[in-house]
Amino acid sequence: MSAIFLVDDDRDVRESLQWMLEAKGMQAEGFDCADAFLNAMDPDQVGVAILDIEMPGLDGLALQQELNRRGSLLSVIILTGHANVPRAVAALKAGALDFLEKPVEGERLLPLIERGLKASRERQQEDSLAGDWETRVAQLTERENQLMQLVVEGKTNKEICDKLFIAQRTVEIHRANLLKKMGVKNAAELAFLVGRNRK
């Protein structure tokens, strides 16, 4: 389930943003410091974190780095009343969606939140696909792994026979098992899957 988190030591800012988001039908949860947020968050949570830069303890940029270190799926938007170019560059380089000055208008913030929710869901899906990939590869025998590399290189069954010193019928059996275990119908689908997971 997607969520929006507001991390800002300024209670008025938290409450005004929460009110604005709830008026748009969005659920938001507020935290007055980075530690409280980190203690409550689930690393697999999908959503958007809106972080203030100037906070006691970990500031917004340090919190963003900690979220990255933990492999958080959350999209990050940085809010500040003290904007400067180095901070903005640092936030964007670390993957923030945007770096906004307070007070922020709903017309500017809401589309960013929508974009952030979408990006966070996509990261979750990519993680899930990567997990599926690892599970499938782990099921392959050593011979099927060798065969996969050769199939992806576009080798014919005859070429694979010569390379692995095995009979054509054996190659056909291994190829059928390989495609079944990898959940694909042909060599082209297998090559696409391998290419996507090598990125």
Side-chain angles (χ1 to χ4, degrees):
M1 184 175 178
S2 301
I4 301 166
F5 302 102
L6 309 168
V7 188
D8 195 315
D9 62 325
D10 187 328
R11 183 176 178 174
D12 291 339
V13 170
R14 286 198 314 272
E15 289 183 351
S16 65
L17 286 174
Q18 203 158 359
W19 177 84
M20 178 181 74
L21 295 172
E22 288 176 359
K24 296 291 181 183
M26 298 177 173
Q27 291 295 315
E29 188 174 357
F31 297 89
D32 63 359
C33 68
D35 285 340
F37 172 61
L38 289 171
N39 288 334
M41 74 162 286
D42 173 354
D44 296 327
Q45 176 68 55
V46 173
V48 175
I50 301 172
L51 312 178
D52 179 35
I53 280 199
E54 295 290 335
M55 293 187 289
L58 282 183
D59 66 18
L61 293 179
L63 175 54
Q64 181 188 18
Q65 289 169 0
E66 179 60 20
L67 290 172
N68 287 344
R69 191 189 68 75
R70 294 184 182 197
S72 170
L73 298 173
L74 296 174
S75 296
V76 169
I77 298 170
I78 299 287
L79 279 187
T80 182
H82 310 278
N84 63 46
V85 172
R87 282 178 156 181
V89 169
L92 296 174
K93 273 188 170 180
L97 281 176
D98 211 336
F99 186 92
L100 304 176
E101 285 191 80
K102 296 177 183 176
V104 62
E105 298 292 327
E107 295 77 25
R108 180 104 190 262
L109 184 60
L110 292 171
L112 272 177
I113 289 174
E114 292 294 342
R115 204 171 96 206
L117 291 172
K118 182 177 177 212
S120 184
R121 285 186 212 112
E122 287 172 353
R123 277 194 293 277
Q124 183 187 45
Q125 190 174 20
E126 286 169 7
D127 275 8
S128 173
L129 289 173
D132 288 349
W133 164 259
E134 289 170 8
T135 302
R136 290 181 205 176
V137 170
Q139 294 173 351
L140 300 179
T141 64
E142 185 179 342
R143 181 63 84 193
E144 288 163 352
N145 252 312
Q146 291 173 329
L147 196 78
M148 181 164 69
Q149 298 308 315
L150 297 171
V151 169
V152 167
E153 289 172 13
K155 305 288 187 200
T156 64
N157 282 357
K158 175 75 172 73
E159 290 170 322
I160 293 172
C161 291
D162 296 342
K163 183 90 178 171
L164 299 181
F165 305 107
I166 54 178
Q168 181 151 342
R169 179 66 185 141
T170 306
V171 171
E172 290 168 359
I173 292 169
H174 284 312
R175 183 187 279 259
N177 289 338
L178 168 65
L179 297 181
K180 184 177 179 183
K181 287 181 181 178
M182 296 306 289
V184 295
K185 294 176 186 164
N186 52 48
E189 285 186 18
L190 181 64
F192 174 77
L193 196 62
V194 170
R196 188 180 68 191
N197 284 282
R198 278 184 180 158
K199 289 179 184 175

